[in-house]
Structure formats: structure tokens, C-alpha cells
């Protein structure tokens, strides 16, 4: 997720940003320089929070803020480059699809076609995140308090700056905290939608369980902005949560011991921000200020307010078009003319817009400070703090398909319809379809499921068995489908389709993927027919694999087929740019089955095409 916090944004948008819940936090570290423009559409320079210009008119694309002596900017190819904070900035390292700021003395990056790596401030590779427990690391987040969360086989864990595992990847949900804790949900709750049945685990930075808090104690976890750059779920060793009190949503802080640090109150619907010991709260009508003990400091009378530092806040009433500054006694500071305003990043100064293209620097008394340059625009852009590996491990993906002499994905011709659905919903290699289950669609006799193999690409699995007891339409409109009652007759054929759709890592590599899959299929039996881009392998008498490459897709058929219908020349002219139609082989007549056909594409006056799962239903 790209975190882009604009200094100058409409109040409504900033309000939404402040009170929204996010799945990441940006670690705290001093901002050394900020990107700015002297003129509209001009190049970008860097300026300090106190107004000292480092350089100007240098970069065509907007840089990130500078932290720990380094900042980043995208080049003409859209790749991140890292630079030093010198008067004449020097590029370090390479060019990256993803990169993080240096919140530690190492930062995670991803180069094209490579795994996630940690580089030092000179651009040298210090660590490569390869595999944990035999499974590839697919994602990594920016460092928070010396730890970086990693995603392995769909589960979250954490590593230190050396890449050593400090928390084993076993959590279906995991959130960092700037206090050094993690909020996690064990993988056993992956399919649990009832919050009250979930137990939330709090871990310290070394992976030790500090507390287990039952969801029955509250309604939902919430987040509040705990500095000018991030939101947090853990506040002063307590969970920020909402509770349902007699049908009224109320906010509070629940301690690690299960006791309320700040008990929910009818006067607090939510908190949006905490700075120092004070919190901005919302009572359902307006925003005010209270301290961590719950003592009200400023009554909730503002349409919008936010803390700029521990001792000053900005606010506006419904009748106001501009922001005013206030101290904690509620006294106005300076002028009433700020269209938008930043935080006091250095504790002494902030930037404020007083005109469409006019930005000034002011102190905590509201006094305008003299600048050596004109500022037309100034912005605070952080990095992509979720990085995804660009290394495509084809062997890992093919292994996850579980191709064997009796079938794939744990399915075989002894499976009945109900058995297929159960297996597709329970196999470890399957991330369930967005509908949450494998379903039978339309008036075809197919079971259709969308699968995700090891976070490496989408596949579809179709199974036909020609034996229904009954069907009935369920739902309405595009959310309708046929609910089928299957017989105990075994399936006759199965189809696995691997698509390039949505996976840039496979661009130009699908022929190679076909070769990897073909290699695995050939190990299951005897090759009886083979063309340039397709082949037939017999695994036992009359039972065949038929595999083909059609450009952006690879199709793998398994079943009792008529060998003559397995066309191994149909794809000889395929290229990586093609999206060839599948060639469906016919079922063998000696199995007393009708020729296999694609799913029905009948049109329905009310429900449209029902031959494949309605997109909205997935």
C-alpha cells in the first residue's frame, strides 16, 4: 500500500484520513528534508522543517521525504532510485520496483525479477529474504521498531534487521505497533467472521506472547493516528477498541490484562489522534480534546480538529472556511487565514497555505518566518511500505499443483461432486474463491473454483461428473446460481487452467511455465502424443493428461478421453501474446459418457449468461 500524506488536502479528506483504519503503520523517525516546488509545474527540491533549502529545481518527479540521510524518487521508467541528502545528491544502489525509506540502517528493496533484499545506506545487499520453513517470502513491510513483518504462504511473521526470524509466520492477521508490540490473530481463526469468537494475541518484539484478549470483550479493534505519520492499534500498552453498549458504539482503551485503561463512554464515539498525553475525540457531533485518563480538555465543539504538536492544535467550526491555531488552553494563536496547515515537524515550525500558490512558514506563536525561497507546493510522500517479491518460483507453483498419476490438487477420478467441493475448500494450497467456497454454477454439470497458488498466480479448476439428482436456482439477479445435488458417481474429467492475468511477473514466461508443468506431467506416465506446444500422457489404460500452451494460458485436462480428440497440433503457432481458445477433448465412448463440452453459455432473459460464475458473485 502506498502511503501518500499530502500536506495540503481538503479538510474532509484529511478528516477521513485521520479517522480511517489502515493495515499498516509508518515508523517514527525524524524527517530531515521535505520535497517542495518553487513554481507551479517546476522541478522539485528539498527543504528542512525549519525552512533551510538543501537544493532546488533538481528532480522532475516528486521525491519522498528524507529520513536517515536518504530519500527516494522514481525515474522515467517508474522505478525507485535512492539518493543521499547532499547539496548535490548522489544515487546509491540500483533501481527498484519497491523500496522503503531507511527507518533503520538497512531498508528492504525489490529489484526486477529478484526476491526481497535488505540493503545498507550505501546500497550494498546485506540480506536476501529467500525462504522460511521451506516457503518463499512473498511480502515484507517497512521496519517498525527494528522489526519488519513478512508474509510466507499467506501467514505473517517478523524478522530483524539481519533477516533473522523473530516471529514465526503463523498469523492470518498481524499489525505492527510503534511501541514495539504486534497485534496478531492466529491462523486457526482465518475463516472466522464473528469477532467475538476471535482471540487477539499481543506479542513483544521478540515474539513472546504478552497477552491474549478475547474478542467477546469488545466489538472491533480500531486505530488512531499516534503521530503525524501513522496510525496505531496499540496505545499505552492497551488496545484501542470500540464496544457495543446497549446498541451504542463507544470507544475505549482495553489494557493487556483485560481491564479497561479508559472505559468506553457514551460521550466518545471514536478517537482520531493521540499526541503526547492528549487525544482528539468525536462525540457524534463534534471534535474535542481529552487526556489519556479521560479528562476533557477542550469540549467537542469543532467540526474538525487535529493536534499539530503536543501543545498546539488546528481547528475550524462549521461556519469557518479557514483553520485557526490554538494552544491547549483553547486560546487562538496568530491569524485566521490558513487554508491548510502542516504539523510542527521539528517542534518549532510548520508550513501553512495562505493562498492558492502561497506557502509560508510559521512558529508556535503564529508568527510568519522569513524564507530564502518561494514555496508554491510542499508535500510529504512516504514510500511503498508493503514490498512484494518479484522472483517467480515456477517450481514452487508447479509443486503446489500436486500433479500425480491419479490427478491434481488432491482430486482424482474416484472423487464425487461433494468430495471435490470439500477438497477444494480444505486443501492448504488453495486460497478460496472470493465467494468463500467452490460452487456448482449454471445448468452445466461442472464444479468451478478460483484458486490462488502460493500467492503466485490465479488458476481455475473445473470438474465434471455428469450425475446430478436435482438443481435449483438460488439468489436473484447476477448473484444467482444453480445449487446442485450431486450423485455418488465419480467425476469423469478435471481441468486446471493457469492464467497470466494480473501477474506481470509471468509476462513472456508462460511458455517456460508450460515446460515446467509438462515436465511434471510426463513423470506421471507414458507420452503417447506430442506437438510443439501440447502433449498427451497416459497414466493408466484409457486415462490421460492433455496439456496445452495457448499464449497467456496453460490448460491441463485429466480424465478418460478419446485419444483422437486430443489435438496436439492446434497450438503449434502459439505466441506469448496469444490468448488461444481451449481445445476440449471428448470423453471416451467406452466409458458410456457423452462428449465433454465447455460449460454452457445459455442466455437467460433475467439472469444473463449463466455458463460461468457471475463476476459479482466472486
Amino acid at each position: 500500500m502506498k502511503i501518500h500524506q499530502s500536506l495540503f488536502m481538503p479538510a474532509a479528506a484529511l478528516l477521513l484520513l485521520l479517522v480511517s483504519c489502515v493495515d499498516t503503520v509508518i515508523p517514527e523517525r525524524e524527517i530531515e528534508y521535505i520535497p517542495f516546488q518553487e513554481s507551479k509545474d517546476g522541478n522539485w527540491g528539498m527543504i528542512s522543517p525549519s525552512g533551510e533549502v538543501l537544493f532546488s529545481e533538481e528532480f522532475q518527479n516528486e521525491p519522498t521525504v528524507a529520513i536517515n540521510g536518504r530519500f527516494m524518487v522514481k525515474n522515467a521508467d517508474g522505478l525507485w532510485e535512492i539518493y543521499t541528502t547532499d547539496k548535490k545528491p548522489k544515487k546509491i544502489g540500483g533501481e527498484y520496483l519497491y523500496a522503503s525509506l531507511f527507518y533503520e540502517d538497512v531498508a528492504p528493496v525489490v529489484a526486477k525479477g529478484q526476491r526481497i533484499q535488505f540493503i545498507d545506506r550505501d546500497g550494498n545487499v546485506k540480506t536476501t529474504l529467500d525462504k522460511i520453513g521451506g516457503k518463499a517470502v512473498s511480502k515484507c513491510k517497512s521496519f517498525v521498531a527494528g522489526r519488519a513483518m513478512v508474509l510466507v504462504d499467506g501467514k505473517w511473521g517478523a524478522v530483524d534487521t539481519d533477516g533473522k526470524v523473530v516471529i514465526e509466520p503463523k498469523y492470518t492477521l498481524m499489525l505492527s505497533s510503534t511501541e514495539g508490540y504486534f497485534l496478531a490473530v492466529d491462523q486457526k481463526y482465518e475463516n472466522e467472521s464473528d469477532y467475538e469468537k476471535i482471540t487477539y494475541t499481543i506479542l513483544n518484539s521478540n515474539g513472546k506472547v504478552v497477552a491474549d484478549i478475547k474478542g467477546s470483550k469488545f466489538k472491533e479493534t480500531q486505530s488512531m493516528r499516534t503521530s503525524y505519520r501513522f496510525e496505531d492499534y496499540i496505545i499505552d500498552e492497551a488496545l484501542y477498541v470500540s464496544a457495543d453498549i446497549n446498541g451504542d458504539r463507544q470507544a475505549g482503551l482495553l489494557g493487556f490484562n483485560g481491564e479497561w485503561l479508559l472505559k468506553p463512554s457514551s460521550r466518545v464515539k471514536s478517537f482520531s489522534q493521540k499526541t503526547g498525553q492528549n487525544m482528539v475525540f468525536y462525540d457524534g457531533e463534534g471534535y474535542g480534546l481529552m487526556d489519556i485518563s479521560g479528562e476533557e480538555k477542550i469540549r467537542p465543539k469543532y467540526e474538525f480538529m487535529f493536534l499539530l504538536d503536543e501543545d498546539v492544535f488546528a481547528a475550524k467550526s462549521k461556519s469557518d472556511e479557514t483553520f485557526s491555531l490554538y494552544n491547549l488552553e483553547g486560546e487562538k494563536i496568530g491569524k485566521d487565514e490558513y487554508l491548510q496547515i502542516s504539523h510542527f515537524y521539528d517542534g518549532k515550525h510548520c508550513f501553512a497555505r495562505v493562498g492558492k500558490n502561497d506557502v509560508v512558514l510559521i512558529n508556535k506563536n503564529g508568527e510568519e518566518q522569513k524564507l530564502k525561497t518561494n514555496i508554491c507546493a510542499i508535500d510529504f510522500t512516504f514510500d511503498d511500505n508493503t514490498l512484494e517479491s518479484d522472483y517467480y518460483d515456477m517450481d514452487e507453483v508447479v509443486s503446489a499443483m500436486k500433479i500425480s498419476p491419479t490427478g491434481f490438487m488432491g482430486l482424482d477420478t474416484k472423487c464425487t461432486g461433494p468430495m471435490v467441493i470439500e477438497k477444494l475448500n480444505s486443501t492448504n494450497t488453495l486460497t478460496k474463491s472470493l465467494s468463500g467456497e467452490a460452487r456448482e454454477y449454471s445448468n452445466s454439470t461442472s464444479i468451478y473454483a478460483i484458486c490462488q497458488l502460493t500467492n503466485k498466480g490465479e488458476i481455475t479448476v473445473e470438474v465434471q461428473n455428469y450425475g446430478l439428482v436435482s438443481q435449483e436456482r438460488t439468489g436473484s439477479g447476477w448473484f444467482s446460481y444453480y445449487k446442485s445435488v450431486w450423485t455418488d458417481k465419480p467425476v469423469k474429467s478435471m481441468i486446471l487452467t493457469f492464467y497470466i492475468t494480473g501477474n506481470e511477473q509471468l509476462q513472456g514466461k508462460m511458455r517456460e511455465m508450460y515446460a515446467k508443468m509438462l515436465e511434471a506431467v510426463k513423470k506421471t506416465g507414458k507420452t503417447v502424443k506430442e506437438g510443439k506446444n501440447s502433449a498427451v500422457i497416459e497414466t493408466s489404460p484409457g486415462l490421460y493428461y492433455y496439456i496445452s500452451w495457448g499464449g497467456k494460458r496453460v490448460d491441463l485436462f485429466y480424465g478418460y478421453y478419446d485419444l483422437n480428440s486430443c489435438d496436439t497440433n492446434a497450438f503449434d503457432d502459439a505466441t506469448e501474446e496469444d490468448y488461444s481458445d481451449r481445445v476440449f477433448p471428448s470423453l471416451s465412448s467406452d466409458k458410456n459418457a457423452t462428449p465433454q463440452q465447455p460449460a454452457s453459455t445459455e442466455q437467460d432473459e433475467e439472469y444473463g449468461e449463466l455458463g460461468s460464475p457471475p463476476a459479482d458473485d466472486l
Side-chain angles (χ1 to χ4, degrees), residues 506-561:
L506 275 177
Q507 294 287 347
K509 300 177 184 177
M510 284 298 279
R511 181 64 174 77
E512 184 181 353
M513 173 58 74
Y514 163 76
K516 292 282 187 181
M517 292 175 64
L518 179 60
E519 180 183 2
V521 173
K522 283 188 172 182
K523 293 177 181 179
T524 67
K526 176 184 177 182
T527 303
V528 293
K529 292 176 68 176
E530 186 168 8
K532 185 178 178 181
N533 297 311
S534 59
V536 180
I537 290 83
E538 185 175 39
T539 62
S540 60
L543 191 57
Y544 301 100
Y545 271 113
Y546 172 43
I547 184 172
S548 63
W549 169 60
K552 296 181 179 180
R553 65 190 298 159
V554 177
D555 291 292
L556 183 63
F557 292 81
Y558 179 78
Y560 292 102
Y561 298 120

Side-chain angles (χ1 to χ4, degrees), residues 402-464:
K402 296 184 178 179
I403 297 171
S404 74
T406 58
F408 55 79
M409 298 287 289
L411 308 176
D412 57 41
T413 55
K414 294 181 180 179
C415 288
T416 63
M419 290 170 62
V420 168
I421 295 175
E422 182 180 359
K423 284 179 178 287
L424 289 180
N425 281 337
S426 63
T427 176
N428 291 330
T429 60
L430 173 68
T431 297
K432 300 176 180 60
S433 62
L434 297 182
S435 60
E437 61 183 348
R439 286 178 173 175
E440 321 86 67
Y441 283 90
S442 187
N443 58 356
S444 73
T445 55
S446 294
I447 298 170
Y448 183 104
I450 294 179
C451 313
Q452 187 84 13
L453 291 179
T454 64
N455 299 302
K456 290 293 184 181
E458 182 180 293
I459 68 168
T460 62
V461 176
E462 299 174 52
V463 181
Q464 301 184 358

Side-chain angles (χ1 to χ4, degrees), residues 60 76 79 152 180 210 254 322 388 397 415 424 469 482 511 520 536 606:
Q60 184 173 355
L79 299 176
V152 180
V210 175
L254 185 63
T322 57
E388 185 171 356
V397 174
C415 288
L424 289 180
V469 173
Y482 278 99
R511 181 64 174 77
V536 180
E606 180 183 358

Side-chain angles (χ1 to χ4, degrees), residues 53 63 96 134 253 288 319 321 372 391 397 431 439 451 458-459 462 583 611:
V53 176
Y96 307 105
L253 297 176
S319 59
E321 294 183 0
K372 296 180 181 179
Y391 179 76
V397 174
T431 297
R439 286 178 173 175
C451 313
E458 182 180 293
I459 68 168
E462 299 174 52
V583 173

Side-chain angles (χ1 to χ4, degrees), residues 11-24:
L14 185 54
L15 173 61
L16 186 63
L17 175 66
L18 286 173
V19 302
S20 64
C21 296
V22 295
D23 61 353
T24 57

Side-chain angles (χ1 to χ4, degrees), residues 314-341:
K316 61 181 296 185
S317 301
K318 289 184 180 181
S319 59
D320 296 333
E321 294 183 0
T322 57
F323 288 97
S324 298
L325 294 187
Y326 298 86
N327 59 27
L328 295 189
E329 283 69 46
E331 300 168 340
K332 281 190 178 182
I333 302 170
K335 303 175 182 179
D336 299 337
E337 60 179 21
Y338 308 120
L339 297 176
Q340 288 134 332
I341 192 163

